[in-house]
Amino acid sequence: MKILITGAKGFVGRNLALNLRNAGYNDIYEYDIDTSEDKLIKWTEDCDFVFNLAGVNRPKDNSEFMKGNFGFADRLLGLLKSNKNKCPVMNSSSVQAMLDNDYGKSKKAGENLMLEYGRDTGAPVYVYRFPNLFGKWCRPNYNSVIATFCYNIANGLSIKVNDESTVLNLVYIDDLIEEMLCALDGKPNMAKDGFCYVDKVYQKTLGEIAELLYSFKEMRENKSVPDFSDEFATRLYATYLSYLPVTEFSYPLKMNVDNRGSFTEIIRTPERGQFSVNVAHPGITKGNHWHNTKNEKFLVVSGKGVIRFKQPFDDKIIEYYVSGEKLEVVDIPTGYTHNIENIGDTDLVTFMWSSECFNPARPDTIFLPIERNK
């Protein structure tokens, strides 16, 4: 299938083109404002599907709305007609097509043109009225409040929220691309009024969005991550990270260092516990404690060691030999005092998970060396 994308360098176009290639579509014609007219003529003759994403939304003069939105659509459909190409056409409109402003009027005119073209030619036409879109590669300080908020907060700049209670209807770019691939297969979500839609829309206030984004920024300091069971927070966090300055992808952690090695917390979560890295020098033993309720998982990723277990009232010592050469998780059950000894010649590096974040007020950690009862 040969696919024509107009507005291919825009936010949606770029995501669409790359995901089409990932899906195995290799014949993609990418048209944008700097593409020659000759190519557009040839491509409209040859293509099997058109994604019309080209448009104007922030012109210097309002008169450019009609030219860029209605005018280009008219030219595109005219070329398809002259080439006698009745392939399906997907057209990106906006929810503002229902509003009485210059941008909305131009989008409405484009919609009417597309629907009339479909009736006249019999070509399948899919018109989508997009709400606010968000996701990676969206241009900040342009026409997306989320892109602007993400960019500014990630770069230490201020944001302006005029009314925290303002509600936005939001569609995530990956959900949109999934719907567009359905349209490509001739299976779009279509409402009774004839317009197509993305079935996953989030309703959030500006205040909620700003609060979440500021919490993301603080997560590097408190070593937390979002609640990934919240779908919107997951998508917004992914979007936020894409706006990090290229010099600030990494951030330091506090290493608790002594003559035995080090212990460093990586992530703390209220729902899923704490993740840490433990380094023990050769010959060093760490641990010798047990927990009432807290449980852990150890994964040695480098070096050689032995993890020992013993119940406080039992003389039996259980040993698990571990190595970075064979990755395996060792559960640390409650009620067993335990330690880990480096028996190799290099540092023993262990990835540790605990079901609870360490709380000095309620440590649930009882010191007890592993030795045979007398």
Side-chain angles (χ1 to χ4, degrees):
M1 181 178 286
K2 297 174 182 178
I3 302 168
L4 169 61
I5 303 174
T6 69
K9 292 182 179 179
F11 167 47
V12 178
R14 184 170 291 169
N15 276 275
L16 175 61
L18 289 169
N19 278 281
L20 283 171
R21 289 192 172 88
N22 290 339
Y25 296 97
N26 297 312
D27 293 324
I28 302 174
Y29 304 142
E30 298 183 45
Y31 175 89
D32 213 280
I33 193 169
D34 56 354
T35 308
S36 70
E37 181 72 8
D38 290 342
K39 284 186 176 179
L40 185 60
I41 294 171
K42 181 179 182 300
W43 292 344
T44 50
E45 179 183 9
D46 198 31
C47 65
D48 301 306
F49 195 100
V50 178
F51 288 103
N52 180 37
L53 307 175
V56 174
N57 49 32
R58 288 289 291 272
K60 294 180 179 179
D61 188 281
N62 284 356
S63 63
E64 296 177 34
F65 278 129
M66 194 61 72
K67 178 182 178 182
N69 294 323
F70 173 83
F72 178 77
D74 187 45
R75 181 157 62 100
L76 173 67
L77 297 180
L79 289 173
L80 289 170
K81 277 185 177 180
S82 64
N83 286 320
K84 299 180 180 179
N85 186 343
K86 297 182 181 180
C87 72
V89 179
M90 174 270 172
N91 185 65
S92 63
S93 186
S94 166
V95 291
Q96 292 201 41
M98 297 179 285
L99 302 180
D100 187 24
N101 57 47
D102 290 330
Y103 176 66
K105 290 176 181 177
S106 69
K107 282 298 190 181
K108 180 63 176 175
E111 289 178 356
N112 292 338
L113 184 69
M114 286 283 171
L115 296 172
E116 183 181 355
Y117 169 80
R119 289 191 294 268
D120 289 347
T121 65
V125 172
Y126 310 128
V127 177
Y128 286 82
R129 285 178 168 174
F130 294 161
N132 295 279
L133 306 177
F134 72 104
K136 63 187 181 302
W137 304 328
C138 188
R139 181 178 171 183
N141 299 301
Y142 187 58
N143 67 335
S144 166
V145 65
I146 286 190
T148 300
F149 281 8
C150 285
Y151 176 85
N152 285 16
I153 292 173
N155 285 271
L157 303 174
S158 62
I159 63 171
K160 184 178 180 180
V161 182
N162 293 322
D163 184 355
E164 291 187 351
S165 64
T166 298
V167 177
L168 298 182
N169 292 315
L170 300 157
V171 167
Y172 184 57
I173 187 63
D174 288 4
D175 297 325
L176 172 58
I177 297 303
E178 185 175 335
E179 170 61 25
M180 293 171 79
L181 292 177
C182 289
L184 182 63
D185 289 337
K187 301 174 183 178
N189 280 311
M190 187 172 291
K192 293 180 180 180
D193 60 6
F195 290 97
C196 300
Y197 62 95
V198 180
D199 62 358
K200 189 171 291 184
V201 179
Y202 303 98
Q203 285 193 330
K204 299 293 176 180
T205 66
L206 284 175
E208 289 175 309
I209 294 166
E211 182 179 1
L212 264 177
L213 290 174
Y214 276 119
S215 75
F216 297 161
K217 187 175 181 65
E218 294 170 0
M219 285 174 181
R220 288 185 163 197
E221 299 296 327
N222 57 30
K223 295 186 288 290
S224 64
V225 291
D227 177 4
F228 290 116
S229 65
D230 182 332
E231 198 172 69
F232 176 74
T234 300
R235 284 156 161 71
L236 187 64
Y237 184 63
T239 303
Y240 170 78
L241 290 180
S242 72
Y243 290 91
L244 287 175
V246 296
T247 56
E248 295 184 22
F249 288 175
S250 67
Y251 57 100
L253 296 172
K254 180 186 177 184
M255 296 179 63
N256 300 289
V257 182
D258 58 25
N259 60 351
R260 302 173 303 160
S262 65
F263 182 82
T264 306
E265 293 181 8
I266 302 173
I267 294 174
R268 296 171 64 93
T269 71
E271 307 89 3
R272 296 292 184 269
Q274 175 177 306
F275 301 82
S276 310
V277 171
N278 183 72
V279 178
H281 296 322
I284 294 297
T285 298
K286 288 189 173 185
N288 284 317
H289 57 241
W290 60 279
H291 313 291
N292 282 303
T293 303
K294 183 190 302 184
N295 53 89
E296 299 167 303
K297 294 179 184 290
F298 288 4
L299 171 63
V300 169
V301 295
S302 181
K304 295 181 179 180
V306 57
I307 302 173
R308 297 185 178 92
F309 300 88
K310 179 179 174 294
Q311 290 184 325
F313 47 80
D314 195 349
D315 202 36
K316 183 180 180 181
I317 297 174
I318 304 161
E319 294 182 329
Y320 278 79
Y321 287 85
V322 288
S323 166
E325 296 178 0
K326 181 186 177 183
L327 297 186
E328 55 185 335
V329 172
V330 178
D331 271 312
I332 312 298
T334 56
Y336 282 88
T337 189
H338 54 276
N339 65 28
I340 181 167
E341 179 186 355
N342 185 345
I343 59 175
D345 299 325
T346 61
D347 282 348
L348 180 68
V349 181
T350 307
F351 184 82
M352 296 181 172
W353 169 83
S354 172
S355 61
E356 301 175 8
C357 297
F358 181 72
N359 180 358
R362 296 176 60 88
D364 189 10
T365 302
I366 301 99
F367 177 72
L368 181 64
I370 291 185
E371 55 186 20
R372 296 190 181 278
N373 292 333
K374 297 180 181 179

